[in-house]
């Protein structure tokens, strides 16, 4: 019987793991070449993966919610010959009858029509079988990504071991671990499965190895606090009703991104209260004249685009390696959005050339997609400036963290009726707080204030935009 293993392919941008979101097939199902079989969530996006060969699903190597590494087995597919019978291994194959993993590599696209393999080429999969074997990278494919913090935890655990078991866990050992279940069970017991000596082929750590280690360690395994495993150096106080929520996927990416921005960018925040009543009146006039809907976010985005053309220093990024400011010619406007996958900033590319209707439609598409959060990596990259409407959460203002590598962000607070002086008379107006956070390495307060007042002046007096057309 010939069984092929479909490994998690390279998802691009240096991503090395993904979480299974949903299986679209089950064990025993017949699949065709390029048939979508699973949705996986990386730190960037949810990706639908097609299987690169046809056959019968032999096994699924993970459950929804499981995290799998680059090169881990996703599914095993039993090969079916054109006459409907199970394909057999060649008679000369020395391991005939055993399970076989076939790695596919790039081939001449001209042969695609006659190939039994996928035409939708994934990284690491192609059209023809490759005889080349993958080289093991330095430190192993499952090299320690946790750094010294993980080693420290292993050494601490080794010190607590019963006498005679001190060689069970070796902080310098980096054994291969294929199964997410094995990694998770070891982690729950307080140690890293990679530090065990695996009994499987090629030193692979099996579930039996983890359970044997837990049995030998006894209560010692749970003595190391989970916080120490993450390198905090401090124990975590826990109670009977406490719930531990791991950071993974998009939440982990956001956390890392926020820490980097907060620790490296000398940010400053300024803000102004602005009378948005004239802009709201303009929106009503537009909708009445055109019988079309325009959101307040779209109108302010139009003003922001004009402001960035007038003040290009804020449409920039900072390169700390070369110590230079990069002013971008294109305006790629990011819109901060709360999605089921967490905070994301999808990007509208090239909006400097958009009409108001085009900008409205582009904003509308992003808002609609935010309900699912299934943005592609391309939609989440390349932003040069971010617009953040946190007024929808019922707050007046904020001092947000800059979305690296950008250098500025404009925030919109909630609309609220307030007493306001207009032409010397006290009246009730719709007012909101507009805040602006900027990288002080890129500009000083005068340039940031000029940008903010440019935006707020045109919210209070939209006719000024005509002078910029």
């Amino acid at each position: 019987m010939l069984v092929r293993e479909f490994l998690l392919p390279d998802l691009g941008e240096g991503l090395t793991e993904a979480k299974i979101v949903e299986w679209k097939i089950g064990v025993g199902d017949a699949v065709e070449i390029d048939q979508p079989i699973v949705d996986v969530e990386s730190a960037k996006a949810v990706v639908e993966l097609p299987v690169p060969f046809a056959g019968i699903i032999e096994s699924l190597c993970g459950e929804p919610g499981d995290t799998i590494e680059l090169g881990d087995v996703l599914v095993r597919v039993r090969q079916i010959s054109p006459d409907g019978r199970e394909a057999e291994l060649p008679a000369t194959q020395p391991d005939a009858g055993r399970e076989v993993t076939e790695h596919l590599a790039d081939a001449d696209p001209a042969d695609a029509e006659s190939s039994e393999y996928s035409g939708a080429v994934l990284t690491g999969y192609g059209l023809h079988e490759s005889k080349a074997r993958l080289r093991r990278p330095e430190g192993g494919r499952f090299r320690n990504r946790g750094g010294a913090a993980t080693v420290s935890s292993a050494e601490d655990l080794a010190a607590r071991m019963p006498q005679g078991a001190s060689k069970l866990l070796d902080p310098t050992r980096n054994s291969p671990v294929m199964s997410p279940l094995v990694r998770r069970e070891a982690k729950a017991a307080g140690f890293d499965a990679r530090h065990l000596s695996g009994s499987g082929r090629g030193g692979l750590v099996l579930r039996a190895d983890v359970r044997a280690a837990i049995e030998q360690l006894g209560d010692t395994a749970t003595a190391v606090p989970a916080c120490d495993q993450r390198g905090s150096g401090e124990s975590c106080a826990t109670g009977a009703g406490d719930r531990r929520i791991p950071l993974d996927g998009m939440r982990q990416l956001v956390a890392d991104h926020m820490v980097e921005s907060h620790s490296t960018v000398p940010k400053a925040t300024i803000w102004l209260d602005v009378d948005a009543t004239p802009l709201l009146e303009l929106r009503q006039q537009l909708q009445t004249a055109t019988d079309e809907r325009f959101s307040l976010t779209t109108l302010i985005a139009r003003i922001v685009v004009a402001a960035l053309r007038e003040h290009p220093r804020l449409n920039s990024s900072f390169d700390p390696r070369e110590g230079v400011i990069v002013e971008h010619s294109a305006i790629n406007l990011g819109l901060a959005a709360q999605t089921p996958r967490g905070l994301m900033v999808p990007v509208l590319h090239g909006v400097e050339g958009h009409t108001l209707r085009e900008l409205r439609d582009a904003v509308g598409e992003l808002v609609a997609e935010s309900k699912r959060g299934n943005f592609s990596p391309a939609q989440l990259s390349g932003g040069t400036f971010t617009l953040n409407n946190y007024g929808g959460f019922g707050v007046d203002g904020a001092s947000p963290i800059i979305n690296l590598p950008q250098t500025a962000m404009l925030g919109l607070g909630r609309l609220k009726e307030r007493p306001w002086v207009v032409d010397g008379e006290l009246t009730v107006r719709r007012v909101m707080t507009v805040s602006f956070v900027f990288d002080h390495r890129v500009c000083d307060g005068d340039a940031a204030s000029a940008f903010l007042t440019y935006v707020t002046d045109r919210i209070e007096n939209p006719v000024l935009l005509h002078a910029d057309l």
Side-chain angles (χ1 to χ4, degrees):
M1 179 176 64
L2 177 59
V3 175
R4 291 194 174 99
E5 292 180 342
F6 176 30
L7 312 182
L8 179 67
D10 186 352
L11 300 177
E13 300 193 33
L15 302 175
T16 59
E17 65 180 20
K19 182 168 64 176
I20 298 173
V21 176
E22 178 186 7
W23 287 108
K24 300 178 180 296
I25 43 82
V27 175
D29 289 352
V31 292
E32 301 294 334
I33 295 175
D34 294 342
Q35 177 179 332
I37 61 168
V38 64
D39 287 340
V40 298
E41 179 183 11
S42 71
K44 294 288 188 180
V46 173
V47 180
E48 184 180 70
L49 295 180
V51 64
F53 29 71
I56 303 297
I57 298 298
E58 179 80 6
S59 62
L60 307 179
C61 301
E63 300 292 335
D66 287 348
T67 298
I68 55 177
E69 303 279 347
L70 174 66
D72 279 2
V73 181
L74 271 172
V75 295
R76 293 184 174 90
V77 181
R78 189 168 70 252
Q79 180 68 30
I80 300 298
S81 61
D83 59 5
R85 295 182 301 175
E86 290 188 357
E88 299 293 338
L89 290 172
T92 57
Q93 174 69 29
D95 293 330
R98 293 172 54 186
E99 183 176 89
V100 173
T101 302
E102 293 200 6
H103 297 280
L104 307 178
D106 293 333
D108 186 352
D111 296 332
E113 291 185 3
S114 62
S115 173
E116 62 175 321
Y117 302 122
S118 170
V121 180
L122 301 167
T123 304
Y125 291 84
L127 304 174
H128 290 167
E129 180 181 2
S130 172
K131 303 302 182 183
R133 306 306 298 171
L134 297 177
R135 290 185 299 173
R136 184 181 182 85
E138 184 179 352
R141 191 183 72 211
F142 299 92
R143 58 189 177 276
N144 184 359
R145 291 176 298 158
T150 304
V151 173
S152 175
S153 296
E155 291 173 341
D156 186 23
L157 182 58
R160 301 168 186 254
M161 290 181 190
Q163 189 173 5
S166 58
K167 294 184 179 180
L168 182 63
L169 288 174
D170 183 352
T172 63
R173 185 183 291 130
N174 193 27
S175 301
V177 186
M178 293 294 289
S179 170
L181 298 176
V182 172
R183 286 193 298 270
R184 187 165 62 245
E185 190 164 337
K187 183 177 180 181
F191 62 89
D192 193 324
R194 293 173 297 180
H195 298 153
L196 293 173
S197 177
S199 61
R201 184 190 304 174
L204 183 69
V205 178
L206 306 177
R207 198 172 187 182
D209 299 324
V210 172
R211 292 187 171 180
I214 293 173
E215 185 176 348
Q216 291 186 52
L217 294 173
D219 295 334
T220 308
T222 58
V224 179
C227 287
D228 286 345
Q229 295 183 47
R230 287 192 171 270
S232 70
E234 300 178 358
S235 299
C236 291
T238 58
D242 291 353
R243 184 164 64 100
R244 305 187 70 84
I245 304 174
L247 293 181
D248 58 5
M250 181 57 66
R251 174 50 56 190
Q252 182 65 63
L253 179 70
V254 170
D256 294 342
H257 200 60
M258 295 295 185
V259 169
E260 181 185 3
S261 178
H262 187 71
S263 61
T264 60
V265 177
K267 70 171 185 175
T269 304
I270 57 178
W271 59 90
L272 280 174
D273 289 340
V274 57
D275 178 12
T277 307
L279 192 62
L280 292 170
E281 292 173 347
L282 173 64
R283 182 181 67 167
Q284 184 58 50
Q285 293 170 9
L286 272 172
Q287 293 179 165
T288 300
T290 63
D291 199 26
E292 302 173 29
R293 295 184 62 83
F294 293 87
S295 69
L296 185 62
T297 299
T298 298
L299 297 181
I300 294 179
R302 175 77 276 167
I303 295 173
V304 168
V305 171
L308 290 173
R309 295 181 67 175
E310 184 73 16
H311 301 274
R313 176 58 56 89
L314 282 311
N315 187 55
S316 64
S317 57
F318 182 78
D319 187 343
R321 291 172 299 182
E322 298 185 11
V324 298
I325 301 168
V326 182
E327 290 187 359
H328 301 290
S329 57
I331 299 176
N332 300 333
L333 185 63
L335 298 179
Q338 196 65 42
T339 76
R341 297 181 57 218
L343 178 64
M344 305 177 78
V345 187
V347 178
L348 302 175
H349 294 85
V351 293
E352 72 279 358
H354 282 27
T355 66
L356 183 60
R357 283 191 175 96
E358 290 172 339
L359 185 58
R360 174 202 60 189
D361 294 342
V363 169
E365 290 176 4
L366 289 190
V367 170
E369 188 58 41
S370 295
K371 297 177 181 178
R372 296 191 303 159
N374 290 349
F375 294 107
S376 68
Q379 290 176 291
L380 297 174
S381 61
T384 59
F385 187 92
T386 294
L387 180 60
N388 190 351
N389 186 358
Y390 40 72
F393 300 115
V395 298
D396 293 327
S399 179
I401 296 176
I402 293 174
N403 183 25
L404 292 178
Q406 300 168 29
T407 57
M409 179 187 298
L410 188 76
L412 309 176
R414 62 174 175 165
L415 282 169
K416 187 177 181 180
E417 290 188 345
R418 295 186 192 176
W420 201 260
V421 176
V422 179
D423 297 331
E425 299 289 336
L426 188 64
T427 184
V428 176
R429 308 287 279 186
R430 302 289 297 280
V431 177
M432 68 177 176
T433 299
V434 179
S435 58
F436 183 61
V437 58
F438 63 97
D439 186 338
H440 227 314
R441 296 173 299 182
V442 171
C443 68
D444 295 324
D446 58 343
S449 299
F451 176 89
L452 181 59
T453 55
Y454 183 101
V455 171
T456 55
D457 284 350
R458 282 150 185 78
I459 292 175
E460 292 189 328
N461 191 5
V463 74
L464 289 176
L465 269 179
H466 289 282
D468 307 315
L469 294 178

